[in-house]
Amino acid sequence: MESLEEKVVAVIIVGGPAEGTRFRPLSFNTPKPLLPLAGRPMVHHPISACKKIPNLAQIFLIGFYEGKEFALYVSSISNELQVPVRYLKEDKPHGSAGSLYYFQDQIMEDSPSHIFLLNCDVCCNFPLPNMLDAQKRYGGMGTLLVIKVSAESANQFGELVADPITKELLHYTEKPETFVSDLINCGVYIFTPKIFDAIEDVYMRQEDRANVHHVTSFEALQITARSPPTDFVRLDQDILSPLAGKRQLYTYETMDFWEQIKTPGISIKCSALYLAQFRIASPDLLAKGDGTKNATVVGDVCIHPSAKVHPTAKIGPNVSISANVRVSPGVRLINCIILDDVEIDENAVVMHSIVGWKSSIGKWSRVQADGDYNKKLGITILGTSL
């Protein structure tokens, strides 16, 4: 009989400074995982989803940002959720699987029966308890969250083939040049501790290959230029692809929303998706107003309690307003993210934009873009004002 004391841990990969370049200028001031979506840091959404996992012991954030950049947030979220959250800093990038192995001792402190692995830049409803139940039914080494997308967009992600009955992962290929399947990897996983044995096997094979040939220094440079280092293990190419079809990995398909947060434009779309989720799961987080005592609110809007919004302003849909923001009379905000300490003067209009910290938008100003999330210039970004 299964023990009721079996523990589960969650690992969230947050990356590092080099991976936030597409979010400049915003990521110059704040790590990408801490940029707000729907009024909460990006990483908050997967963390809060982990809270729903039965017998959750700890949550680990793994990345190579400086620890001080996450210290305040980690302390705050640990107290809020009453779950230990720890930030583990890599000395260098080890790959999504390699980082798990690098911190194996810490991850296994509570002898968990299962380990969730999530990428921070994924936006979805995170059906983690359902994945845990599915993994226990399947009985393999791990389960991937998957979703069907259009055939035209599938090659931007890891494509896979799964058995329609058993849900076993039969084939996996990362960003193929030719179409394989419209079923893609969502970047959310659950594993048993056997995953560490699989990663160790990859390490050993890499070291064996590195030691087989004695090469000249010039040849060594060529090999280094085209091959990852022997202490770098990728989850997709090095673990998922080789284990596909060996009754070790299975899939759990979500029918809900999913996006990868690659650009600031997509972050506005994801903010809208999370705000819509609040409407169902946490309606108290959404603002209300009809233009009498409070501003007119249209659709899903999140306003920080410390923000001051004039009753003649009209806000929404899809707007999040952060701390200490001042919104003056007649302002119109649509499909935008307003960060801390922003001042928006009378009758200004902001549409399809992210307004950076301490920015000031003058009277009758108009800040907007065409709202195409997939275009580089589909949204407007105002950087921080010092």
Side-chain angles (χ1 to χ4, degrees):
M1 185 176 178
E2 185 179 69
S3 171
L4 296 176
E5 298 303 316
E6 281 188 344
K7 294 180 180 179
V8 179
V9 298
V11 176
I12 301 175
I13 304 296
V14 299
E19 298 181 16
T21 54
R22 281 182 284 193
F23 276 75
R24 292 175 180 171
L26 300 173
S27 58
F28 281 135
N29 302 91
T30 298
K32 176 184 169 183
L34 298 182
L35 293 173
L37 300 181
R40 301 288 188 275
M42 185 186 299
V43 72
H44 178 96
H45 300 284
I47 288 177
S48 60
C50 290
K51 174 69 174 176
K52 300 175 184 176
I53 302 170
N55 301 320
L56 180 67
Q58 289 196 73
I59 300 172
F60 299 94
L61 309 182
I62 295 180
F64 43 102
Y65 292 100
E66 290 300 322
K68 63 184 179 182
E69 296 186 88
F70 278 85
L72 183 62
Y73 175 73
V74 165
S75 174
S76 171
I77 194 66
S78 295
N79 291 331
E80 178 183 335
L81 298 183
Q82 293 298 298
V83 173
V85 180
R86 294 167 60 184
Y87 177 70
L88 302 176
K89 182 182 180 297
E90 296 181 81
D91 57 346
K92 62 179 180 179
H94 291 87
S96 49
S99 58
L100 268 185
Y101 192 80
Y102 187 74
F103 292 110
Q104 178 179 355
D105 291 344
Q106 291 92 327
I107 292 169
M108 292 302 297
E109 278 176 355
D110 294 293
S111 301
S113 62
H114 293 87
I115 302 154
F116 276 96
L117 178 64
L118 299 81
N119 285 295
C120 174
D121 62 351
V122 165
C123 169
C124 67
N125 70 335
F126 297 104
L128 306 183
N130 292 342
M131 289 183 68
L132 178 60
D133 291 341
Q135 167 61 27
K136 290 178 179 178
R137 290 197 308 272
Y138 298 149
M141 181 190 297
T143 299
L144 297 68
L145 184 68
V146 301
I147 192 171
K148 282 188 177 179
V149 298
S150 67
E152 294 75 23
S153 64
N155 66 354
Q156 301 173 38
F157 310 99
E159 296 183 25
L160 57 98
V161 177
D163 186 298
I165 305 299
T166 67
K167 308 303 179 184
E168 182 191 353
L169 178 67
L170 300 177
H171 178 73
Y172 185 90
T173 181
E174 185 69 17
K175 298 179 181 177
E177 294 182 3
T178 57
F179 179 75
V180 173
S181 168
D182 59 357
L183 202 59
I184 66 163
N185 177 10
C186 290
V188 178
Y189 316 87
I190 180 172
F191 296 108
T192 68
K194 291 181 181 178
I195 186 64
F196 294 112
D197 296 330
I199 300 171
E200 185 173 7
D201 287 344
V202 174
Y203 273 129
M204 293 178 67
R205 288 197 301 272
Q206 289 177 343
E207 290 176 1
D208 288 345
R209 282 197 298 268
N211 293 330
V212 165
H213 300 293
H214 296 287
V215 297
T216 67
S217 58
F218 176 72
E219 289 172 326
L221 285 173
Q222 288 184 312
I223 293 170
T224 301
R226 64 176 181 262
S227 304
T230 56
D231 59 351
F232 190 95
V233 180
R234 303 158 299 186
L235 186 63
D236 38 27
Q237 293 102 319
D238 298 324
I239 301 295
L240 302 185
S241 292
L243 290 179
K246 296 183 178 178
R247 298 185 180 179
Q248 292 292 319
L249 299 173
Y250 293 83
T251 61
Y252 180 86
E253 184 176 352
T254 178
M255 303 296 176
D256 216 315
F257 66 91
W258 179 87
E259 290 286 345
Q260 186 176 13
I261 312 170
K262 292 181 176 181
T263 64
I266 295 297
S267 72
I268 292 183
K269 181 180 181 180
C270 291
S271 187
L273 291 170
Y274 281 135
L275 287 171
Q277 192 178 42
F278 288 170
R279 192 191 325 140
I280 300 168
S282 305
D284 56 304
L285 297 178
L286 296 178
K288 297 180 178 64
D290 58 6
T292 52
K293 292 184 178 180
N294 298 307
T296 300
V297 171
V298 180
D300 299 323
V301 171
C302 177
I303 301 176
H304 192 276
S306 66
K308 297 187 183 303
V309 182
H310 195 273
T312 61
K314 189 172 182 179
I315 315 296
N318 181 27
V319 173
S320 65
I321 298 176
S322 298
N324 304 313
V325 170
R326 184 177 65 81
V327 178
S328 299
V331 167
R332 183 71 175 101
L333 304 180
I334 302 171
N335 196 42
C336 56
I337 297 173
I338 312 297
L339 301 180
D340 294 354
D341 303 307
V342 168
E343 293 192 4
I344 305 176
D345 287 338
E346 288 90 337
N347 301 306
V349 175
V350 181
M351 300 172 59
H352 313 305
S353 302
I354 300 176
V355 181
W357 302 268
K358 300 182 180 179
S359 293
S360 180
I361 298 176
K363 297 178 181 180
W364 293 100
S365 296
R366 193 174 185 94
V367 179
Q368 71 175 84
D370 66 13
D372 186 336
Y373 301 123
N374 295 312
K375 285 184 182 178
K376 284 187 177 180
L377 300 179
I379 70 162
T380 294
I381 301 175
L382 298 185
T384 184
S385 177
L386 298 177

